[in-house]
Amino acid sequence: MVDEGTRKTLSGIPLLQTKAGPRDKELWIQRLKEEYQSLIKYVQNNKEADNDWFRLESNKEGTRWFGKCWYIHDLLKYEFEVEFDIPVTYPHTAPEIALPELDGKTAKMYRGGKICLSDHFKPLWGRNVPKFGLSHAMALGLGPWLAVEVPDLISKGIITYKEKEPEKAT
Amino acid sequence: MGTLVELQAKIAELEEKLKAAQQFVVKREKIDVMSSEVVDTNPYSRLMALKRMGIVDNYESIRNFTVAVVGVGGVGSVTAEMLTRCGIGRLLLFDYDKVELANMNRLFFQPHQAGISKVEAAAQTLRNINPDVDIQTYNYNITTVDNFQHFMDTISTQSLTGGNVDLLLSCVDNFEARYAINTACNELNQIWIESGVSENAVSGHIQLIIPGETACFACAPPLVVASHIDEKTLKKDGVCAASLPTTMGIIAGLLVQNTLKYLLKFGSTANYLGYSALIDFFPTMKLKPNPSCDDSYCKIRQTEFSSKPKLITDDQKVEEEKPLHEDNNWGISLVDESLPEGDCKEEIATGISLAYALPRQDVDVSPGSASAADGINLDDLMAQMKSI
């Protein structure tokens, strides 16, 4: 289920310790700190490996997360907004990561642009409560989803490259 | 623009259409007391006949009950309709979704309702079917922090008696929502029935959860009815979930049947009832709670339950306490081989297996873990993340 490359990525992401959700007041702050530490380390790893692919930030309470992720295909960068809520039952249940702008464009999504994680990710998450955090959800959930779906959506012409700087247009 | 005559003709035509449409809107008046009188105009005569048949002692007591239906989709909408037709006292409907044309392969909703919220569309239809039922709608996602508290407050205060609802029915389609319901019900000591239909549409189940007495949703990994399909052959190209009106209707039927049995106290209520459509197989079993369940309230309820005096109702219960083998001449015992994971292929009852196995809960503090030193400030971390 998990290949060598993923295993290597995983080994570089700090695991979490505190089993606490957003209803656990003090303990949640502790968990949130661990989440941020783990995410910061993961993003740093990605940058070092020249594989930087997302940014995330949260509201003050750490219950709502938003940011960007991008995927490089044929040397072109496709960027998407990411958002999700931390469910009350977190970390027993994984967050439902959504890419709202792709809602309705692929069937591998639930309403509101929530990506389909049931097969490749959720059982893995279930076995690793509470050690897995948001960084793992990104690495094992969203990452593989983008790698499979984005090239497919591009080949079908459902998403097209949007130029950021006009001079790049050919 | 049309001429005056054309416009007048158009008005006449539309008035005609309106009149025809209004003919269908026959409003049934509210009925104060359920009558067993056998006349064509009594909507309750066939239900009240259950008393004469000796099945139910006091059918009209159904009007005192409040049932919460969480998730008004393929299973939940049909469940709500059945309860409405049965004359339930009050229905609380929870869902945050809208009706879509993609829902039309299932029962209940109609194409003209596309775009309306599911709870609102359902309430309109249901009030029309039976105005005696008090229907309350809650259009939000119960798993978010803000809504969850409101959800808990609602199911613990909005029954006809002002307390916990008499039964909560989970008709949701995802693990997160089930887990949220489980958390709420364990905290509130709320009895509920979980229901589900598999993503391949050919199996389903219902499970009665009495906090502390039967296994809660967090006690074990989700159970699946053996599908008789090799998982590897399951191609999900292009679709996340399949659904059939048949399977959903059957599960809704089983769910409401057991709801009626539970509320009106007839027959025996199923603890776990599975359904495998491919071979028409209905496994049943009783699930005991897990003493080391992850949910702290589940453990509290288990302690409460074990301290309560119990009524032994059948012989089976006595038998369960006996050791499997009376004599053990050879001193055979089970040895813990410390498998890293349990085997999920192991069947727990005929035809039922776990969706996945949980690892053994060893306390491992791995060196690479994010140890949040107390000195670190959350705001600093947030700022650091932002500035990367």
Side-chain angles (χ1 to χ4, degrees), chain B residues 304-320:
Chain B
E304 285 171 6
F305 177 70
S306 60
S307 63
K308 259 192 277 181
K310 272 165 264 332
L311 192 72
I312 294 168
T313 46
D314 46 25
D315 304 348
Q316 218 185 350
K317 264 206 172 131
V318 186
E319 231 173 302
E320 273 172 2

Side-chain angles (χ1 to χ4, degrees), chain B residues 60-73:
Chain B
E60 54 271 43
S61 69
I62 196 163
R63 284 198 155 183
N64 306 330
F65 296 120
T66 306
V67 172
V69 177
V70 187
V72 189

Side-chain angles (χ1 to χ4, degrees), chain A residues 13-17 19 22-23 29-30 32-34 36-40 43-44 47 54-60 62-63 85-89 92-94 96 107-111 114 116 118-119 122-123 126-127 129 131, chain B residues 95-97 100 118 141-145 148-149 152 173-176 179-180 183 187 199 236-241 294 341 356-359 361 364-366 368-374 376-378 381-382 384-386 388:
Chain A
I13 307 175
L15 294 172
L16 288 83
Q17 290 181 344
K19 192 193 271 188
R23 296 173 74 226
I29 305 289
Q30 182 77 7
L32 208 51
K33 285 182 189 174
E34 294 177 11
Y36 266 104
Q37 283 178 316
S38 180
L39 277 168
I40 290 166
V43 172
Q44 282 167 348
K47 284 182 128 179
F54 75 90
R55 283 293 177 280
L56 273 182
E57 54 183 296
S58 73
N59 62 358
K60 199 162 62 45
T63 52
D85 286 300
I86 299 291
V88 280
T89 48
H92 293 288
T93 62
E96 297 180 282
K108 285 168 191 168
M109 246 181 192
Y110 296 107
R111 68 219 142 195
K114 288 172 182 170
C116 182
S118 50
D119 262 15
K122 284 189 184 171
R127 290 191 195 99
V129 175
K131 290 179 281 180
Chain B
D95 203 304
Y96 68 98
D97 220 359
E100 286 168 14
K118 283 185 176 171
N141 177 357
I142 62 161
T143 68
T144 66
V145 178
F148 186 72
Q149 192 54 50
M152 296 245 295
D173 61 359
N174 63 84
F175 182 69
E176 291 73 21
Y179 217 99
T183 304
E187 283 190 36
E199 285 206 325
K236 290 222 246 179
D237 278 347
V239 272
C240 244
D294 255 347
E341 272 179 12
Y356 55 83
L358 285 173
Q361 287 296 320
D364 67 321
V365 181
S366 54
S369 58
S371 53
D374 289 330
I376 297 169
N377 187 312
L378 183 58
L381 286 169
M382 285 184 172
Q384 195 188 342
M385 183 73 195
K386 221 168 181 172
I388 290 182

Side-chain angles (χ1 to χ4, degrees), chain B residues 44-95:
Chain B
Y44 296 117
S45 58
R46 309 298 165 103
L47 292 165
M48 295 294 274
L50 286 165
K51 296 205 304 185
R52 246 181 306 120
M53 298 287 169
I55 301 294
V56 182
D57 286 339
N58 187 13
Y59 189 86
E60 54 271 43
S61 69
I62 196 163
R63 284 198 155 183
N64 306 330
F65 296 120
T66 306
V67 172
V69 177
V70 187
V72 189
V75 173
S77 62
V78 179
T79 298
E81 178 174 347
M82 286 178 178
L83 288 169
T84 300
R85 290 184 187 275
C86 286
I88 193 83
R90 180 179 282 171
L91 262 186
L92 312 181
L93 305 177
F94 295 86
D95 203 304

Side-chain angles (χ1 to χ4, degrees), chain A residues 40-107:
Chain A
I40 290 166
K41 182 79 179 100
Y42 179 41
V43 172
Q44 282 167 348
N45 290 351
N46 288 342
K47 284 182 128 179
E48 278 161 25
D50 198 21
N51 180 33
D52 197 19
W53 67 276
F54 75 90
R55 283 293 177 280
L56 273 182
E57 54 183 296
S58 73
N59 62 358
K60 199 162 62 45
E61 295 78 23
T63 52
R64 182 152 185 80
W65 291 73
F66 44 91
K68 286 188 190 322
C69 66
W70 52 91
Y71 186 84
I72 313 284
H73 185 76
D74 289 342
L75 304 176
L76 296 174
K77 182 175 169 183
Y78 296 82
E79 194 172 270
F80 311 99
E81 304 265 342
V82 189
E83 60 171 53
F84 55 88
D85 286 300
I86 299 291
V88 280
T89 48
Y90 188 81
H92 293 288
T93 62
E96 297 180 282
I97 301 170
L99 307 175
E101 63 203 280
L102 294 184
D103 192 14
K105 293 187 173 171
T106 159

